[in-house]
Structure formats: C-alpha cells, structure tokens
Coordinates of all heavy atoms in Angstrom, one line a residue:
M1 N 103.1 43.0 -112.1 CA 101.7 42.9 -112.0 C 101.4 41.4 -111.9 O 101.8 40.6 -112.7 CB 101.0 43.5 -113.2 CG 99.5 43.4 -113.3 SD 98.6 44.4 -114.5 CE 99.6 44.2 -116.0
A2 N 100.5 41.0 -111.0 CA 100.1 39.7 -110.8 C 99.0 39.3 -111.7 O 98.2 40.1 -112.1 CB 99.7 39.4 -109.3
E3 N 98.9 38.0 -111.9 CA 97.7 37.5 -112.8 C 96.6 37.1 -111.8 O 96.8 36.9 -110.7 CB 98.2 36.4 -113.7 CG 98.7 35.2 -113.0 CD 99.2 34.1 -113.9 OE1 98.4 33.6 -114.8 OE2 100.4 33.7 -113.8
I4 N 95.5 36.8 -112.4 CA 94.3 36.3 -111.7 C 94.3 34.8 -111.9 O 94.4 34.3 -112.9 CB 93.0 36.9 -112.3 CG1 93.0 38.4 -112.3 CG2 91.8 36.3 -111.5 CD1 93.1 39.0 -110.9
V5 N 94.2 34.1 -110.7 CA 94.3 32.6 -110.7 C 93.1 32.1 -109.9 O 92.5 32.8 -109.1 CB 95.6 32.1 -110.1 CG1 96.8 32.5 -111.0 CG2 95.8 32.6 -108.7
S6 N 92.8 30.8 -110.1 CA 91.8 30.1 -109.3 C 92.4 28.8 -108.9 O 92.8 28.0 -109.8 CB 90.5 29.9 -110.1 OG 89.9 31.1 -110.4
T7 N 92.4 28.5 -107.6 CA 92.9 27.2 -107.1 C 91.8 26.7 -106.0 O 91.4 27.5 -105.2 CB 94.3 27.2 -106.5 OG1 94.3 28.2 -105.5 CG2 95.3 27.5 -107.6
E8 N 91.4 25.5 -106.1 CA 90.4 25.0 -105.2 C 90.7 25.1 -103.7 O 89.9 25.3 -102.8 CB 90.1 23.5 -105.5 CG 89.3 23.4 -106.7 CD 87.9 24.1 -106.6 OE1 87.3 24.0 -105.6 OE2 87.5 24.7 -107.6
D9 N 92.1 25.1 -103.4 CA 92.5 25.1 -102.0 C 92.5 26.5 -101.4 O 92.9 26.7 -100.2 CB 93.8 24.4 -101.8 CG 94.9 25.0 -102.6 OD1 94.7 25.8 -103.5 OD2 96.1 24.8 -102.2
T10 N 92.3 27.6 -102.2 CA 92.3 28.9 -101.8 C 91.1 29.7 -102.1 O 90.7 29.7 -103.3 CB 93.6 29.7 -102.3 OG1 94.8 28.9 -102.1 CG2 93.7 31.0 -101.7
L11 N 90.4 30.2 -101.1 CA 89.1 30.9 -101.3 C 88.1 30.1 -102.0 O 87.2 30.7 -102.7 CB 89.4 32.2 -102.1 CG 90.3 33.3 -101.6 CD1 90.3 34.5 -102.5 CD2 89.7 33.7 -100.2
G12 N 88.1 28.8 -101.8 CA 87.1 27.9 -102.4 C 87.1 27.9 -103.9 O 86.1 27.6 -104.5
G13 N 88.2 28.3 -104.5 CA 88.3 28.3 -105.9 C 87.9 29.6 -106.6 O 88.0 29.7 -107.8
A14 N 87.5 30.5 -105.9 CA 87.2 31.8 -106.4 C 88.4 32.5 -107.0 O 89.5 32.4 -106.5 CB 86.6 32.7 -105.3
P15 N 88.3 33.2 -108.1 CA 89.4 33.9 -108.7 C 90.0 34.9 -107.7 O 89.3 35.6 -107.0 CB 88.8 34.6 -109.9 CG 87.4 34.6 -109.7 CD 87.1 33.5 -108.8
R16 N 91.3 35.0 -107.8 CA 92.1 35.9 -106.8 C 93.3 36.4 -107.5 O 93.8 35.9 -108.5 CB 92.4 35.1 -105.5 CG 93.3 33.9 -105.8 CD 93.6 33.1 -104.6 NE 94.3 31.9 -104.8 CZ 95.6 31.8 -105.0 NH1 96.3 32.9 -104.8 NH2 96.1 30.6 -105.3
I17 N 94.0 37.3 -106.8 CA 95.2 37.8 -107.3 C 96.3 36.8 -106.9 O 96.4 36.4 -105.8 CB 95.5 39.2 -106.7 CG1 94.5 40.2 -107.1 CG2 96.9 39.7 -107.0 CD1 94.5 41.5 -106.4
A18 N 97.1 36.4 -107.9 CA 98.1 35.4 -107.7 C 99.0 35.8 -106.5 O 99.4 37.0 -106.4 CB 98.9 35.1 -108.9
G19 N 99.4 34.8 -105.7 CA 100.3 35.1 -104.6 C 99.6 35.7 -103.4 O 100.3 36.1 -102.4
S20 N 98.3 35.8 -103.4 CA 97.5 36.4 -102.3 C 96.2 35.6 -102.1 O 95.9 34.8 -102.8 CB 97.3 37.8 -102.6 OG 96.2 38.0 -103.5
R21 N 95.6 36.1 -101.1 CA 94.2 35.6 -100.7 C 93.2 36.7 -100.9 O 92.1 36.7 -100.4 CB 94.1 35.0 -99.3 CG 95.0 33.8 -99.1 CD 94.8 33.3 -97.7 NE 93.4 33.0 -97.3 CZ 92.8 31.9 -97.5 NH1 93.4 30.9 -98.3 NH2 91.5 31.7 -97.2
I22 N 93.5 37.6 -101.8 CA 92.6 38.7 -102.2 C 91.8 38.3 -103.4 O 92.4 38.2 -104.5 CB 93.4 40.0 -102.5 CG1 94.3 40.4 -101.2 CG2 92.5 41.2 -102.8 CD1 95.4 41.4 -101.5
G23 N 90.6 38.1 -103.2 CA 89.7 37.7 -104.3 C 89.2 38.8 -105.2 O 89.1 40.0 -104.7
V24 N 89.0 38.5 -106.4 CA 88.4 39.4 -107.3 C 87.1 40.0 -106.7 O 86.9 41.2 -106.8 CB 88.1 38.8 -108.7 CG1 87.3 39.7 -109.6 CG2 89.5 38.4 -109.4
H25 N 86.3 39.2 -106.1 CA 85.1 39.6 -105.4 C 85.4 40.7 -104.3 O 84.6 41.6 -104.1 CB 84.2 38.5 -105.0 CG 84.9 37.6 -103.9 ND1 85.8 36.7 -104.3 CD2 84.7 37.6 -102.6 CE1 86.2 36.1 -103.1 NE2 85.5 36.6 -102.1
H26 N 86.5 40.5 -103.6 CA 86.8 41.5 -102.6 C 87.1 42.8 -103.2 O 86.7 43.9 -102.6 CB 88.1 41.0 -101.8 CG 87.9 39.8 -101.0 ND1 88.9 38.7 -101.2 CD2 87.0 39.4 -100.1 CE1 88.5 37.7 -100.4 NE2 87.4 38.1 -99.7
I27 N 87.9 42.9 -104.3 CA 88.2 44.1 -104.9 C 86.9 44.7 -105.5 O 86.6 45.9 -105.3 CB 89.2 43.9 -106.1 CG1 90.5 43.3 -105.6 CG2 89.4 45.2 -106.9 CD1 91.4 44.2 -104.8
A28 N 86.1 43.9 -106.2 CA 84.9 44.5 -106.8 C 83.9 45.0 -105.7 O 83.3 46.1 -105.9 CB 84.2 43.4 -107.6
K29 N 83.8 44.4 -104.6 CA 82.9 44.8 -103.6 C 83.3 46.1 -103.0 O 82.5 47.0 -102.8 CB 82.9 43.8 -102.4 CG 81.9 44.1 -101.3 CD 81.9 43.0 -100.3 CE 80.8 43.3 -99.2 NZ 80.7 42.2 -98.3
R30 N 84.5 46.4 -102.9 CA 85.0 47.7 -102.3 C 85.0 48.8 -103.4 O 84.5 49.9 -103.0 CB 86.5 47.5 -101.8 CG 86.5 46.6 -100.5 CD 87.7 46.6 -99.8 NE 88.2 47.9 -99.4 CZ 89.3 48.1 -98.8 NH1 90.2 47.1 -98.6 NH2 89.7 49.4 -98.4
V31 N 85.4 48.5 -104.6 CA 85.4 49.5 -105.6 C 84.0 49.8 -106.2 O 83.5 50.9 -106.3 CB 86.4 49.2 -106.7 CG1 86.3 50.2 -107.9 CG2 87.8 49.1 -106.2
L32 N 83.3 48.7 -106.6 CA 82.1 48.9 -107.3 C 80.9 49.1 -106.3 O 80.0 49.9 -106.6 CB 81.8 47.7 -108.2 CG 82.9 47.4 -109.2 CD1 82.6 46.2 -110.0 CD2 83.1 48.6 -110.2
D33 N 80.9 48.3 -105.2 CA 79.7 48.4 -104.3 C 79.9 49.6 -103.3 O 78.9 50.3 -103.0 CB 79.5 47.1 -103.6 CG 79.2 46.0 -104.5 OD1 78.8 46.2 -105.7 OD2 79.2 44.8 -104.1
A34 N 81.1 49.7 -102.7 CA 81.3 50.7 -101.7 C 81.8 52.0 -102.2 O 81.8 53.0 -101.4 CB 82.3 50.1 -100.7
G35 N 82.2 52.1 -103.5 CA 82.6 53.3 -104.1 C 84.0 53.8 -103.7 O 84.3 54.9 -103.8
E36 N 84.8 52.9 -103.2 CA 86.2 53.2 -102.8 C 87.0 53.4 -104.0 O 86.7 52.8 -105.0 CB 86.8 52.2 -101.8 CG 86.1 52.1 -100.5 CD 86.8 51.1 -99.6 OE1 88.0 51.1 -99.5 OE2 86.0 50.2 -99.0
S37 N 88.0 54.2 -104.0 CA 88.9 54.4 -105.1 C 89.8 53.3 -105.3 O 90.2 52.6 -104.3 CB 89.7 55.7 -105.0 OG 90.7 55.5 -104.0
P38 N 90.1 52.9 -106.5 CA 91.1 51.8 -106.7 C 92.5 52.1 -106.0 O 93.1 51.1 -105.5 CB 91.3 51.8 -108.2 CG 90.0 52.3 -108.7 CD 89.6 53.4 -107.8
E39 N 92.8 53.3 -105.9 CA 94.1 53.7 -105.3 C 94.0 53.3 -103.8 O 95.0 52.8 -103.2 CB 94.4 55.2 -105.5 CG 94.7 55.6 -106.9 CD 93.4 55.8 -107.7 OE1 92.3 55.8 -107.2 OE2 93.6 56.0 -109.0
Q40 N 92.9 53.6 -103.1 CA 92.7 53.4 -101.7 C 92.7 51.8 -101.5 O 93.3 51.4 -100.5 CB 91.5 54.0 -101.2 CG 91.2 53.8 -99.7 CD 92.4 54.4 -98.9 OE1 92.7 55.6 -99.1 NE2 93.0 53.6 -98.0
V41 N 92.0 51.1 -102.3 CA 91.9 49.7 -102.2 C 93.3 49.1 -102.3 O 93.8 48.2 -101.5 CB 91.0 49.0 -103.2 CG1 91.0 47.5 -103.1 CG2 89.6 49.5 -102.9
A42 N 94.1 49.5 -103.3 CA 95.5 49.1 -103.5 C 96.4 49.3 -102.3 O 97.1 48.5 -101.8 CB 96.1 49.7 -104.8
A43 N 96.2 50.5 -101.7 CA 97.0 50.9 -100.5 C 96.6 50.0 -99.4 O 97.5 49.6 -98.6 CB 96.8 52.3 -100.2
D44 N 95.3 49.8 -99.2 CA 94.8 49.0 -98.0 C 95.3 47.6 -98.1 O 95.6 47.0 -97.1 CB 93.3 49.0 -97.9 CG 92.8 50.4 -97.5 OD1 93.5 51.3 -97.1 OD2 91.5 50.6 -97.6
Y45 N 95.3 47.0 -99.3 CA 95.7 45.6 -99.5 C 97.2 45.5 -99.7 O 97.8 44.4 -99.8 CB 95.0 45.0 -100.6 CG 93.6 44.6 -100.3 CD1 92.5 44.9 -101.2 CD2 93.2 43.8 -99.2 CE1 91.2 44.6 -100.9 CE2 92.0 43.4 -98.9 CZ 90.9 43.8 -99.8 OH 89.7 43.4 -99.5
D46 N 97.9 46.6 -99.8 CA 99.4 46.7 -100.1 C 99.7 45.9 -101.4 O 100.5 45.0 -101.4 CB 100.2 46.1 -99.0 CG 101.6 46.4 -99.1 OD1 102.0 47.5 -99.8 OD2 102.5 45.6 -98.6
I47 N 98.9 46.2 -102.5 CA 99.1 45.6 -103.8 C 99.3 46.8 -104.8 O 99.0 47.9 -104.5 CB 98.0 44.7 -104.2 CG1 96.7 45.5 -104.2 CG2 97.9 43.5 -103.3 CD1 95.5 44.7 -104.7
D48 N 99.7 46.4 -106.0 CA 99.9 47.4 -107.0 C 98.6 47.8 -107.6 O 97.7 47.0 -107.7 CB 100.8 46.7 -108.2 CG 101.3 47.7 -109.2 OD1 102.1 48.6 -108.8 OD2 100.9 47.6 -110.3
I49 N 98.5 49.1 -108.0 CA 97.2 49.6 -108.5 C 96.8 48.8 -109.7 O 95.6 48.6 -110.0 CB 97.3 51.1 -108.8 CG1 95.9 51.6 -109.2 CG2 98.4 51.4 -109.9 CD1 94.9 51.7 -108.1
A50 N 97.8 48.3 -110.5 CA 97.5 47.5 -111.7 C 96.8 46.2 -111.4 O 96.0 45.8 -112.1 CB 98.8 47.2 -112.5
D51 N 97.0 45.7 -110.2 CA 96.4 44.4 -109.8 C 94.9 44.7 -109.5 O 94.1 43.9 -109.7 CB 97.0 43.8 -108.6 CG 98.5 43.3 -108.8 OD1 98.7 43.0 -110.0 OD2 99.3 43.3 -107.9
V52 N 94.6 45.9 -108.9 CA 93.2 46.2 -108.7 C 92.5 46.3 -110.0 O 91.4 45.8 -110.2 CB 93.1 47.6 -107.9 CG1 91.7 48.1 -107.8 CG2 93.7 47.4 -106.5
Y53 N 93.1 47.0 -111.0 CA 92.4 47.1 -112.3 C 92.3 45.8 -113.0 O 91.3 45.5 -113.7 CB 93.2 48.2 -113.1 CG 92.8 49.6 -112.7 CD1 93.8 50.4 -112.1 CD2 91.5 50.1 -112.8 CE1 93.5 51.7 -111.7 CE2 91.2 51.4 -112.4 CZ 92.2 52.2 -111.8 OH 91.9 53.4 -111.4
R54 N 93.3 45.0 -112.8 CA 93.3 43.6 -113.5 C 92.1 42.8 -112.9 O 91.4 42.2 -113.6 CB 94.6 42.9 -113.3 CG 94.6 41.5 -113.9 CD 95.9 40.9 -113.8 NE 96.8 41.5 -114.9 CZ 97.5 40.8 -115.7 NH1 97.6 39.5 -115.7 NH2 98.3 41.5 -116.6
A55 N 91.9 42.9 -111.6 CA 90.8 42.2 -110.9 C 89.5 42.8 -111.4 O 88.5 42.0 -111.7 CB 90.9 42.4 -109.4
L56 N 89.4 44.1 -111.6 CA 88.1 44.6 -112.2 C 87.9 44.2 -113.6 O 86.8 43.9 -114.0 CB 88.2 46.2 -112.0 CG 88.2 46.7 -110.6 CD1 88.4 48.2 -110.6 CD2 86.8 46.3 -109.9
V57 N 88.9 44.1 -114.4 CA 88.8 43.7 -115.7 C 88.3 42.2 -115.7 O 87.4 41.8 -116.5 CB 90.1 43.8 -116.5 CG1 90.1 43.0 -117.8 CG2 90.5 45.2 -116.8
Y58 N 88.9 41.4 -114.9 CA 88.4 40.0 -114.8 C 87.0 40.0 -114.4 O 86.2 39.2 -114.9 CB 89.3 39.2 -113.7 CG 88.9 37.8 -113.7 CD1 89.7 36.8 -114.4 CD2 87.9 37.3 -112.9 CE1 89.4 35.5 -114.3 CE2 87.5 36.0 -112.9 CZ 88.3 35.1 -113.6 OH 87.9 33.8 -113.6
Y59 N 86.6 40.8 -113.4 CA 85.2 40.8 -113.0 C 84.2 41.1 -114.1 O 83.2 40.4 -114.3 CB 85.1 41.9 -111.9 CG 83.7 42.0 -111.3 CD1 83.3 41.3 -110.2 CD2 82.7 42.9 -111.8 CE1 82.0 41.4 -109.7 CE2 81.5 43.1 -111.4 CZ 81.1 42.3 -110.3 OH 79.8 42.4 -109.8
Y60 N 84.5 42.1 -114.9 CA 83.7 42.4 -116.0 C 83.8 41.4 -117.2 O 82.8 41.3 -118.0 CB 84.0 43.9 -116.5 CG 83.4 44.9 -115.6 CD1 84.2 45.8 -114.9 CD2 82.0 45.0 -115.5 CE1 83.7 46.7 -114.1 CE2 81.5 46.0 -114.6 CZ 82.3 46.8 -113.9 OH 81.8 47.8 -113.1
D61 N 84.9 40.7 -117.3 CA 85.0 39.7 -118.4 C 84.3 38.4 -118.0 O 84.1 37.6 -118.9 CB 86.5 39.5 -118.7 CG 87.1 40.6 -119.5 OD1 86.4 41.4 -120.1 OD2 88.4 40.5 -119.7
H62 N 84.0 38.2 -116.8 CA 83.4 37.0 -116.3 C 82.2 37.3 -115.4 O 82.1 36.8 -114.3 CB 84.5 36.2 -115.5 CG 85.7 35.8 -116.3 ND1 86.8 36.6 -116.4 CD2 86.0 34.8 -117.1 CE1 87.7 36.1 -117.2 NE2 87.2 35.0 -117.6
V63 N 81.3 38.0 -115.9 CA 80.2 38.5 -115.1 C 79.4 37.3 -114.6 O 79.0 37.4 -113.4 CB 79.3 39.4 -116.0 CG1 78.0 39.8 -115.2 CG2 80.1 40.7 -116.3
A64 N 79.0 36.3 -115.4 CA 78.2 35.2 -114.9 C 78.9 34.5 -113.7 O 78.2 34.2 -112.7 CB 77.9 34.3 -116.0
E65 N 80.2 34.2 -113.9 CA 80.9 33.5 -112.8 C 80.9 34.4 -111.5 O 80.7 33.9 -110.4 CB 82.4 33.3 -113.3 CG 83.3 32.7 -112.3 CD 84.7 32.7 -112.7 OE1 85.1 33.2 -113.8 OE2 85.5 32.1 -111.9
M66 N 81.1 35.7 -111.7 CA 81.2 36.5 -110.5 C 79.9 36.7 -109.8 O 79.7 36.7 -108.6 CB 81.8 37.9 -110.9 CG 83.2 37.9 -111.4 SD 84.4 36.9 -110.5 CE 84.3 37.7 -108.9
R67 N 78.8 36.6 -110.6 CA 77.4 36.7 -110.0 C 77.2 35.4 -109.2 O 76.6 35.4 -108.2 CB 76.4 36.8 -111.1 CG 76.2 38.2 -111.6 CD 75.1 38.4 -112.6 NE 75.1 39.7 -113.1 CZ 74.6 40.0 -114.3 NH1 74.1 39.1 -115.1 NH2 74.6 41.3 -114.7
Q68 N 77.6 34.3 -109.7 CA 77.5 33.0 -109.0 C 78.2 33.0 -107.7 O 77.7 32.6 -106.7 CB 77.9 31.9 -109.9 CG 77.7 30.5 -109.2 CD 78.2 29.4 -110.1 OE1 78.5 29.5 -111.3 NE2 78.2 28.2 -109.6
I69 N 79.4 33.5 -107.8 CA 80.3 33.6 -106.5 C 79.6 34.5 -105.5 O 79.5 34.2 -104.4 CB 81.7 34.0 -106.9 CG1 82.5 32.9 -107.6 CG2 82.5 34.5 -105.6 CD1 83.7 33.4 -108.3
R70 N 79.1 35.6 -106.0 CA 78.5 36.6 -105.1 C 77.2 35.9 -104.4 O 77.0 36.0 -103.2 CB 78.1 37.8 -105.8 CG 77.4 38.9 -104.9 CD 77.2 40.1 -105.7 NE 78.5 40.8 -105.9 CZ 78.6 42.1 -105.9 NH1 77.6 42.9 -105.9 NH2 79.8 42.7 -106.1
A71 N 76.5 35.2 -105.2 CA 75.2 34.6 -104.7 C 75.6 33.5 -103.7 O 75.0 33.4 -102.6 CB 74.4 34.0 -105.9
E72 N 76.6 32.7 -104.0 CA 77.0 31.7 -103.0 C 77.5 32.3 -101.7 O 77.3 31.7 -100.7 CB 78.2 30.9 -103.6 CG 77.7 30.0 -104.8 CD 78.9 29.3 -105.5 OE1 80.1 29.6 -105.2 OE2 78.6 28.6 -106.4
R73 N 78.2 33.4 -101.8 CA 78.7 34.0 -100.6 C 77.7 34.8 -99.8 O 77.9 35.1 -98.6 CB 79.9 34.9 -100.9 CG 81.1 34.1 -101.5 CD 82.3 35.0 -101.6 NE 83.4 34.2 -102.2 CZ 84.1 33.2 -101.6 NH1 83.8 32.9 -100.4 NH2 85.0 32.6 -102.2
Q74 N 76.6 35.1 -100.4 CA 75.5 35.8 -99.7 C 74.4 34.9 -99.1 O 73.6 35.3 -98.3 CB 74.8 36.8 -100.6 CG 75.7 38.0 -101.0 CD 75.0 39.0 -101.9 OE1 74.0 38.6 -102.6 NE2 75.6 40.2 -102.0
S75 N 74.5 33.6 -99.5 CA 73.5 32.7 -99.0 C 73.9 32.1 -97.7 O 75.1 32.0 -97.4 CB 73.2 31.5 -100.0 OG 74.4 30.8 -100.2
V76 N 73.0 31.6 -96.9 CA 73.3 31.0 -95.6 C 73.1 29.5 -95.8 O 72.0 29.0 -96.3 CB 72.3 31.5 -94.5 CG1 72.6 30.7 -93.2 CG2 72.4 33.0 -94.4
P77 N 74.2 28.7 -95.5 CA 74.1 27.2 -95.7 C 73.0 26.6 -94.9 O 72.6 27.1 -93.8 CB 75.4 26.7 -95.3 CG 76.3 27.9 -95.3 CD 75.4 29.1 -95.1
D78 N 72.4 25.5 -95.3 CA 71.4 24.8 -94.6 C 71.9 24.4 -93.2 O 73.1 24.1 -93.0 CB 71.0 23.5 -95.3 CG 70.2 23.7 -96.6 OD1 69.7 24.8 -96.7 OD2 70.2 22.8 -97.5
G79 N 71.0 24.5 -92.1 CA 71.5 24.2 -90.8 C 72.0 25.4 -90.0 O 72.2 25.3 -88.8
L80 N 72.2 26.5 -90.7 CA 72.7 27.7 -90.0 C 71.7 28.8 -90.1 O 70.8 28.8 -91.0 CB 74.0 28.2 -90.7 CG 75.2 27.2 -90.6 CD1 76.4 27.9 -91.4 CD2 75.6 26.9 -89.2
S81 N 71.8 29.7 -89.2 CA 70.8 30.8 -89.3 C 71.7 32.1 -89.0 O 72.7 32.1 -88.5 CB 69.8 30.7 -88.2 OG 70.3 30.6 -86.9
V82 N 71.1 33.2 -89.5 CA 71.7 34.6 -89.3 C 71.2 35.2 -88.0 O 70.0 35.2 -87.7 CB 71.3 35.4 -90.5 CG1 71.9 36.8 -90.4 CG2 71.8 34.8 -91.8
V83 N 72.2 35.6 -87.2 CA 71.9 36.3 -86.0 C 72.2 37.8 -86.2 O 73.3 38.2 -86.5 CB 72.7 35.8 -84.9 CG1 72.4 36.6 -83.6 CG2 72.3 34.3 -84.7
C84 N 71.2 38.7 -86.2 CA 71.4 40.1 -86.4 C 71.4 40.8 -85.1 O 71.9 42.0 -85.0 CB 70.3 40.7 -87.3 SG 70.3 40.0 -88.9
G85 N 70.9 40.3 -84.0 CA 70.9 41.0 -82.7 C 70.4 40.0 -81.6 O 70.0 38.9 -81.9
P86 N 70.3 40.5 -80.4 CA 69.9 39.6 -79.3 C 68.5 39.0 -79.5 O 68.3 37.9 -79.1 CB 69.9 40.6 -78.1 CG 70.8 41.7 -78.5 CD 70.7 41.8 -80.0
A87 N 67.6 39.7 -80.1 CA 66.3 39.1 -80.3 C 66.3 37.9 -81.2 O 65.3 37.1 -81.1 CB 65.3 40.2 -80.9
D88 N 67.3 37.7 -82.0 CA 67.4 36.6 -82.9 C 68.0 35.3 -82.2 O 68.0 34.2 -82.8 CB 68.3 36.9 -84.1 CG 67.7 38.0 -84.9 OD1 66.5 38.2 -84.9 OD2 68.5 38.7 -85.6
I89 N 68.4 35.4 -81.0 CA 69.0 34.3 -80.3 C 68.0 33.5 -79.5 O 67.2 34.1 -78.8 CB 70.2 34.8 -79.4 CG1 71.3 35.5 -80.2 CG2 70.7 33.6 -78.6 CD1 72.3 36.1 -79.3
D90 N 68.0 32.2 -79.8 CA 67.1 31.4 -79.0 C 67.6 31.1 -77.6 O 68.5 30.2 -77.5 CB 66.9 30.0 -79.8 CG 65.8 29.1 -79.2 OD1 65.2 29.5 -78.2 OD2 65.7 28.0 -79.7
T91 N 67.1 31.8 -76.7 CA 67.7 31.7 -75.3 C 67.4 30.4 -74.6 O 68.2 29.9 -73.9 CB 67.1 32.8 -74.4 OG1 65.7 32.8 -74.4 CG2 67.7 34.2 -74.8
K92 N 66.3 29.8 -75.0 CA 65.9 28.5 -74.5 C 67.0 27.4 -74.9 O 67.4 26.6 -74.1 CB 64.5 28.0 -74.9 CG 64.1 26.7 -74.4 CD 62.7 26.3 -74.9 CE 62.3 25.0 -74.3 NZ 61.2 24.4 -74.9
A93 N 67.3 27.4 -76.1 CA 68.4 26.4 -76.6 C 69.7 26.7 -75.9 O 70.4 25.7 -75.7 CB 68.5 26.6 -78.1
Q94 N 70.0 27.9 -75.6 CA 71.3 28.2 -75.0 C 71.3 27.8 -73.5 O 72.3 27.4 -72.9 CB 71.6 29.7 -75.0 CG 72.0 30.1 -76.4 CD 72.4 31.5 -76.4 OE1 72.2 32.3 -75.5 NE2 73.1 31.9 -77.5
S95 N 70.2 27.9 -72.8 CA 70.1 27.6 -71.4 C 69.9 26.1 -71.1 O 70.1 25.7 -69.9 CB 68.9 28.4 -70.8 OG 67.7 28.0 -71.3
E96 N 69.5 25.3 -72.1 CA 69.4 23.8 -71.8 C 70.7 23.2 -71.8 O 71.5 23.3 -72.7 CB 68.5 23.2 -72.9 CG 67.0 23.7 -72.8 CD 66.2 23.1 -74.0 OE1 66.8 22.3 -74.7 OE2 65.1 23.5 -74.1
P97 N 71.0 22.4 -70.8 CA 72.3 21.7 -70.7 C 72.3 20.6 -71.7 O 71.3 20.0 -72.0 CB 72.4 21.2 -69.2 CG 71.0 21.1 -68.8 CD 70.2 22.2 -69.5
E98 N 73.5 20.3 -72.2 CA 73.6 19.2 -73.2 C 73.7 17.9 -72.4 O 74.3 17.8 -71.3 CB 74.8 19.4 -74.1 CG 74.7 20.5 -75.0 CD 75.9 20.7 -76.0 OE1 76.5 19.6 -76.2 OE2 76.1 21.7 -76.5
A99 N 73.2 16.8 -73.0 CA 73.2 15.6 -72.3 C 74.4 14.8 -72.6 O 75.2 15.0 -73.5 CB 71.9 14.7 -72.7

C-alpha cells in the first residue's frame, strides 16, 4: 500500500498516491462526487483498493486543504475564459490577422 505524498513538482503540490500522478482529489471526485465504487476506481487506475481507501481517509482528514485544492482547480485563471460552445467563441478575434 502506497502512502499519500505532496511534492511541488507533481500535480502542483496536491496530495497524491506515492509513485503516481493520481491525486487524492481525483479519487474523491470519482468516488464521492460521481458515485463510482472504490473497486472500480482502483481497477481503472490499476492501483490497490487500499490506496483508494487511503486517499479517501486523507481527504476526510484534511477537509480544509482539499476544499482549497478543489476551489483552485475549479477557478479560471485571469486572462483566460471558458468556452462551452461555438456561441462563446469570439469570431472577430479569430478572423483578424496578427501583425
């Protein structure tokens, strides 16, 4: 069973399963938000079921940290915009040639 680690050079420092790029927030999103079974998530990520449960324990033991990570990942950085469909694209900006 792997431990939960955080390193700045991987996933922006978000907690993850050691030896992988699978974040605690990835596991929580699928199990808690999407209602997938821990067994299915473990199979999809090819990790031990114990690692899924360890990630969920970490999530519940560090609720404030996980809320902050979730908020950061849901926000749109300054200077960027969200495009949901063709109506959201500024066609004038795309058609103007760059100087």
